[in-house]
Amino acid sequence: IRAKYCIDATGHAAEICRIVKQKVGSLNTPSGDLEKERSMCAEIGERTVVKNTKEVFPGLFVAGMGANAVYGAPRMGPIFGGMLLSGEKAAKLILKQIK
């Protein structure tokens, strides 16, 4: 399967990012690897899920809980408003590149 852009929204496992890291060797993170999620803190996790929604490899964007897993932020717990905003941000980032 080929696509110009892809969003990894596979959740805590960040499966697409894991595969890309394994096959390509490095992601756009401080360590070049998945930073892994921290312990649950809904308040911080809710903020960082949007902040961490970004291009992690050329054409690959990470959103939702995968974003916190890739960039090493806390799990969120039962609050999900940030997940919706994360998806919206990923879509806007891709639209910006398309234009």
Side-chain angles (χ1 to χ4, degrees):
I1 298 174
R2 292 178 184 229
K4 193 169 186 177
Y5 300 102
C6 179
I7 299 173
D8 183 343
T10 59
H12 300 279
E15 293 294 342
I16 297 169
C17 290
R18 284 184 196 284
I19 291 168
V20 169
K21 163 60 174 107
Q22 180 182 11
K23 293 186 177 279
V24 182
S26 186
L27 299 173
N28 183 25
T29 63
S31 70
D33 201 350
L34 281 78
E35 304 296 324
K36 300 184 182 132
E37 286 177 311
R38 305 293 181 245
S39 298
M40 188 171 77
C41 179
E43 183 181 338
I44 296 170
E46 187 78 2
R47 279 194 316 265
T48 56
V49 75
V50 177
K51 176 184 170 200
N52 290 330
T53 298
K54 53 182 102 172
E55 192 170 25
V56 69
F57 187 81
L60 174 60
F61 293 79
V62 65
M65 285 314 306
N68 278 359
V70 168
Y71 285 99
R75 298 172 65 92
M76 285 189 335
I79 300 175
F80 298 106
M83 303 247 308
L84 178 63
L85 295 174
S86 174
E88 180 182 42
K89 179 179 176 182
K92 286 179 179 180
L93 289 170
I94 291 171
L95 284 172
K96 193 175 186 181
Q97 288 195 14
I98 290 173
K99 292 180 181 182

